[in-house]
Every structure is written in structure tokens, then in C-alpha cells.
Amino acid sequence: MSEKIAVIIGAGPAGLTAAYELLVRTGIRPIVLEKSGSMGGIARTVNYKGYRMDIGGHRFFSKSARVMDWWQNIMPIQADDDPDPNRQDLLMLLRKRRSRIYFLRKFFDYPIRLSVDTLSKLGFRRTLRIGLSYLKSAAFPIRDEQTLEQFFINRFGKELYLTFFKSYTEKVWGVPCNEISAEWGEQRVKGLSIARSIQHFVKRCFRRGPSVAQSDTETSLIEQFLYPKLGPGQMWDEVASRIREKGGTVLTGWEAVRLGTDGQRIEAVEAVHGETGERKVFPAGYFFSTMPVQELIRSLDHEVPPALVEASEGLMYRDFITVGLLVRGLKVQEKNPHGSRLIRDNWIYIQEPDVLVGRLQIFNNWSPYLVPDPSKVWIGLEYFCNEGGDLWRTPDGDLVHLAASELTRIGILEGDAVLDATVIRVPKAYPAYFGSYSRFPLIREYLDGFENLFLIGRNGMHRYNNQDHSMLTAMVAVDNLAAGVSSKENIWTVNAEKEYHESA
């Protein structure tokens, strides 16, 4: 009986996609074990007193038609002839995308556009240095890129890298760019360059408007995206509901702590319930893991070669904290002929070096249904840190004070604007491309040796996947099972092939 069961560790986008695909395409029944009480992993929606928060910011856009169709099969898009989405909740809204950089106490378009506005804000001297620096890098690129710094310089020139990439990237990762592998850039920003930005600008001038798919557009250049009416977690709550309806099992509060092995196969997962302490063994024929690779290696019930243990323990992660602030309004406003209104940004990259905050989300602009009182502004400030570090251990009240004071200092918020606040900590949000990452291929080869174990998702593969990439890894893994394919190579090519790349 266990041969017809698959245990899936984690109810994030990858885990839930795998469970759903197994049910609709195979005779295998999934059991999903999720240690938290929420669906969606980092793509969940946090509800604070009716105000909904999108952890990390999730655009529902993909260059993969398969993923786009999958989303729309779960949640229909608001019809053009239905301007009032109040009548139903299970709905995808079509949203305009806008993000900017806040630097020198000014707003810059993101990605940087070579417009009169940008050049005037940068000033003639800095603009000249940027241009000459780019021409130098284009003519004499660094050969054999090894570091993220080299990657950025080759594509944008040293001056633009120092102006708009270096400080923010190091704020995110907590280490210098010259200590981060160029592979991170190859996975996250490969598709974008100054030439691509100019090409996109020219094409944009001669077309009527982008389609929902925008499959020929670099991801960071898209102008609109789909978004669940009540936030990203609404999608994954609905998927979990459908999994249960189709006969699958989704259990919350259960943490996988031990994987029982027999030779080159996984035989069972032992899990413990976080509240009751109850332990239970789940035997199965197939296992999908989205848990951090480091924790997976620790949970194996047999002796792992010391070199692999050392490599696994050296894997590093970056964590972050979101401080949600409910405020009367923002000091920065958007001018129009009828007066002023809330700026239209979905998120803003805070490039200012004198504050710790890295990014600011304005939840009103993701979906107005995240904010029950439209007269208020609901924002989220993201702080990148290390679990257990000083910032991580800072009391919530002090973090709220820090967030409010930093936005006041850089001119985005009035000092007395905060009405309410909450703090959300997210461990292991970003698998890091430093530490022992260069030895990850050894870990991958070892774990792929378990014939019935499939590593999928961001933490499951220690790869900075987007939501759609994580889903694709699950889809491909189920493809293999359905077709009787034993190789896992095609799972690892997701987000390594050009058409899957995110750009930034």
C-alpha cells in the first residue's frame, strides 16, 4: 500500500503543486506534512486584524505557459466586463506593476531607465562616469566571472554597480558582493542588461499594450501581473482545499525530524507534532522534500560521509523580518491635476546607506482588498538579517520603533503617522550562494542517489527560485514519476535554462 503513497515535506508552492499534480495525473496519494499552521510557505498571507500582508511580495507572472495556465485553472481572472470583483473572493486581479529605487532621497525607476528624469537626478558628472564605465566594461569585460561583483560590472559597468547594486545587494546578503558566487546573478539577473532595457523601451513605444502573458518580456520589465484578490496565500489555501477534496492529506503542525532509509531508498518519514509532541511514522513509496537541505542531511537515519556533513553544515541562509505598519498616510505623495494621492508603487527598494531597511511594500497597491480601511495605508518594511543575530533577537516593540524612525529619517513617513504595527520573522528565506555553496554539487549527487527522493522548491534545492520556478520543479518531478523516468537531471535544469530566468 505504501508504494501508492507519497510523503511531501512542506506545504509551500512546490510541495502543494507536487501533491495536486500527483492526484490529477497519477494514482499516487500524497500526504503533505507542514510544520507551520499556514499554507504557501513564504508565499502565505498573514492576516493581522483584517489587514493582510504578503510576505516577500509575490507577482503571479511566469514565462512558463504551463504555470500561468495552472494558476488560472485554480483561480479565474477578473473578467473585462466585470469591473466589480466584490461579488466573489476566489479571483485573480490584473494589477499594474510599479517598483522604484529610493536613493539620495529621490525616486528612480526600477529597472533604471535612461530617461531625462533619471539623468537629472543623478547629475551630469555621475551620469558621465556611469556612461564611460559601461563603455569600458562592454569593450573590456572581465573574463571568467567568478563573483557577483564581476557579474554586475560586466553587465552594467563599475560606476552603475557601485551606485545602484552594491549597497543594496550587500544589505540583503550581509556579505560583500565579491564573496558571493556569480551563479546567483546567472539565476536571478541574467536576462537584463542596459541593452535589454533600451530594447524594451523602444518596443514599448510602438505597441498598444502588453498581454497578460508578456512571455517575450524580461521578468523585471513586465508592466502588469496577476494577483489573488486576498493575497498569495489565498491561492495556496485553495490548492490545499482541492487536494483534500481529491483524497489527498494535508497536515499542519507536523515537522519531519527523521528519514528512515534502506540502501538507496527512503522508507519512511518520522514527524513530531509541534504542540502535542506526538510522534508518528509515515511510510511511503515516494518522498518529495522542500525542507532546507541542511536539515534534510541531519535527519537521515544512517551515517553520512563526513565530507558531505561538513559541506551541508557550511550551507548558509539569509533570513528576514517584515515590520507591518498601519499608518495615516505617507509623506511622499503622487501629484496629479486633482491634488495628491498615494504613490502607486507595489514595492520600493531602499538604497539609502544610512538606514537598515532594505525594501518597502505598499499593500494597498498589491490589492485594495488587503486593506479593509482604504483611508489608511498598510506597509511592510523588510529587514535582512541572520537568524539568532542581534536584529533577529530585537524585541518587537523596538523593531517597530526602528522601522518608524528610519522611514521618518529618510522623508517617507511623518513621525506621528503610525497607528498599529506587527512583526513577522521569516527564517531561511534565502538560500545563500556563499559559505560551502561551491561544494553543493557533492550534496546534490549524494541525495539524488536515493531513487525515490525528489528535491524540489527553493530550500529543497538550495536555489533562489521564484514561486513559478519552485512549482515547475514539482511539475517536472511528477512528470518523471508518471513517465517512469529515473533521472532527476531535468528537475535541476529548471531556473538554469534561459527561459526560466528572473531578471532584476
Side-chain angles (χ1 to χ4, degrees):
M1 292 294 292
S2 65
E3 286 300 314
K4 290 295 184 179
I5 296 175
V7 170
I8 299 170
I9 303 171
L16 291 175
T17 299
Y20 188 84
E21 290 286 296
L22 286 170
L23 285 166
V24 300
R25 299 180 52 219
T26 76
I28 300 169
R29 183 173 71 87
I31 300 174
V32 182
L33 304 177
E34 169 57 43
K35 71 176 181 179
S36 76
S38 304
M39 298 295 105
I42 198 175
R44 68 188 184 274
T45 301
V46 174
N47 189 331
Y48 176 71
K49 299 180 181 179
Y51 289 86
R52 291 178 167 87
M53 178 187 297
D54 180 348
I55 301 296
H58 290 83
R59 293 169 294 167
F60 282 69
F61 162 81
S62 177
K63 291 186 180 184
S64 166
R66 183 177 185 181
V67 171
M68 293 292 285
D69 290 344
W70 199 96
W71 280 329
Q72 292 172 57
N73 178 59
I74 302 296
M75 295 181 69
I77 302 176
Q78 178 188 0
D80 292 337
D81 59 354
D82 179 17
D84 181 14
N86 285 304
R87 288 177 289 183
Q88 60 174 315
D89 282 340
L90 197 64
L91 197 67
M92 287 277 236
L93 308 179
L94 185 60
R95 306 298 295 163
K96 293 292 185 182
R97 175 260 192 195
R98 188 190 194 189
S99 58
R100 290 185 292 176
I101 295 170
Y102 194 67
F103 177 57
L104 303 173
R105 300 330 194 231
K106 302 172 184 175
F107 285 104
F108 293 84
D109 287 333
Y110 173 82
I112 294 296
R113 294 192 173 101
L114 301 180
S115 63
V116 173
D117 179 68
T118 299
L119 300 181
S120 65
K121 289 175 180 176
L122 288 174
F124 176 76
R125 290 185 179 180
R126 182 181 270 123
T127 300
L128 181 61
R129 291 198 305 269
I130 288 172
L132 294 175
S133 175
Y134 172 69
L135 292 175
K136 180 181 177 181
S137 292
F140 305 102
I142 300 168
R143 304 297 179 186
D144 187 27
E145 292 173 350
Q146 296 294 322
T147 70
L148 186 59
E149 180 172 88
Q150 293 170 339
F151 177 92
F152 281 138
I153 291 173
N154 274 351
R155 282 152 186 79
F156 304 102
K158 187 173 183 179
E159 192 65 31
L160 193 60
Y161 157 69
L162 293 174
T163 303
F164 284 114
F165 290 90
K166 186 177 188 295
S167 64
Y168 177 79
T169 304
E170 293 180 354
K171 189 183 288 187
V172 171
W173 293 107
V175 298
C177 288
N178 60 14
E179 294 181 14
I180 302 174
S181 170
E183 189 174 337
W184 183 86
E186 291 166 2
Q187 287 191 353
R188 295 294 293 185
V189 299
K190 182 175 184 177
L192 191 68
S193 65
I194 288 180
R196 283 290 182 93
S197 296
I198 295 173
Q199 182 184 29
H200 172 74
F201 175 77
V202 173
K203 287 170 64 179
R204 188 165 167 257
C205 292
F206 291 95
R207 70 182 179 201
R208 294 181 180 179
S211 68
V212 172
Q214 304 171 93
S215 58
D216 61 344
T217 304
E218 291 304 324
T219 304
S220 65
L221 298 175
I222 66 165
E223 298 169 14
Q224 58 188 14
F225 57 90
L226 299 176
Y227 195 75
K229 177 180 173 180
L230 300 178
Q234 184 185 18
M235 168 67 73
W236 300 113
D237 287 339
E238 176 63 20
V239 173
S241 177
R242 295 195 186 189
I243 289 169
R244 292 181 174 118
E245 288 173 2
K246 293 178 180 296
T249 302
V250 181
L251 302 175
T252 58
W254 287 91
E255 179 180 4
V257 294
R258 188 181 68 86
L259 272 67
T261 62
D262 182 10
Q264 294 303 110
R265 290 181 61 81
I266 307 295
E267 294 293 317
V269 169
E270 182 181 356
V272 60
H273 196 277
E275 292 184 3
T276 67
E278 178 188 358
R279 287 181 175 267
K280 189 172 181 179
V281 175
F282 297 87
Y286 309 95
F287 298 84
F288 294 74
S289 175
T290 71
M291 69 192 296
V293 170
Q294 193 177 78
E295 296 176 12
L296 177 63
I297 291 289
R298 291 172 183 170
S299 70
L300 293 172
D301 71 347
H302 68 274
E303 186 174 352
V304 178
L308 289 174
V309 173
E310 183 184 4
S312 173
E313 291 301 316
L315 293 176
M316 303 187 74
Y317 302 83
R318 193 67 164 159
D319 317 288
F320 78 84
I321 297 168
T322 293
V323 181
L325 298 182
L326 183 65
V327 300
R328 294 189 179 89
L330 301 182
K331 188 175 182 180
V332 289
Q333 294 284 311
E334 194 162 291
K335 306 293 184 184
N336 62 47
H338 307 289
S340 299
R341 53 154 286 171
L342 178 67
I343 55 177
R344 293 177 290 114
D345 303 72
N346 307 109
W347 67 89
I348 299 166
Y349 295 96
I350 307 297
Q351 188 79 4
E352 305 290 20
D354 58 333
V355 292
L356 295 177
V357 61
R359 193 169 70 163
L360 171 68
Q361 289 195 75
I362 304 175
F363 299 120
N364 304 59
N365 296 333
W366 285 98
S367 166
Y369 299 94
L370 302 182
V371 187
D373 183 349
S375 70
K376 307 295 190 301
V377 180
W378 178 226
I379 59 177
L381 290 78
E382 293 180 5
Y383 289 88
F384 307 102
C385 57
N386 292 323
E387 186 177 2
D390 290 342
L391 193 61
W392 183 269
R393 292 184 288 104
T394 299
D396 288 2
D398 292 345
L399 287 171
V400 170
H401 176 75
L402 173 68
S405 62
E406 288 199 333
L407 287 193
T408 301
R409 185 189 314 158
I410 61 178
I412 291 180
L413 201 64
E414 297 285 3
D416 60 348
V418 177
L419 301 171
D420 201 354
T422 188
V423 175
I424 306 295
R425 290 170 174 80
V426 184
K428 292 183 171 60
Y430 305 123
Y433 287 63
F434 46 89
S436 64
Y437 179 75
S438 62
R439 288 183 282 165
F440 185 75
L442 298 174
I443 301 172
R444 169 190 159 182
E445 181 181 7
Y446 178 77
L447 292 173
D448 278 352
F450 292 97
E451 59 188 44
N452 63 339
L453 174 64
F454 301 89
L455 306 183
I456 57 174
R458 176 180 283 196
N459 274 331
M461 303 173 74
H462 201 84
R463 176 176 286 179
Y464 198 157
N465 288 326
N466 279 345
Q467 179 178 221
D468 62 325
H469 303 143
S470 292
M471 294 173 63
L472 280 165
T473 63
M475 292 174 178
V476 172
V478 176
D479 289 344
N480 290 350
L481 263 184
V485 175
S486 59
S487 172
K488 298 162 186 172
E489 186 64 32
N490 56 353
I491 302 174
W492 292 96
T493 62
V494 174
N495 196 20
E497 296 176 356
K498 186 177 179 181
E499 62 263 32
Y500 295 135
H501 281 289
E502 161 72 309
S503 307

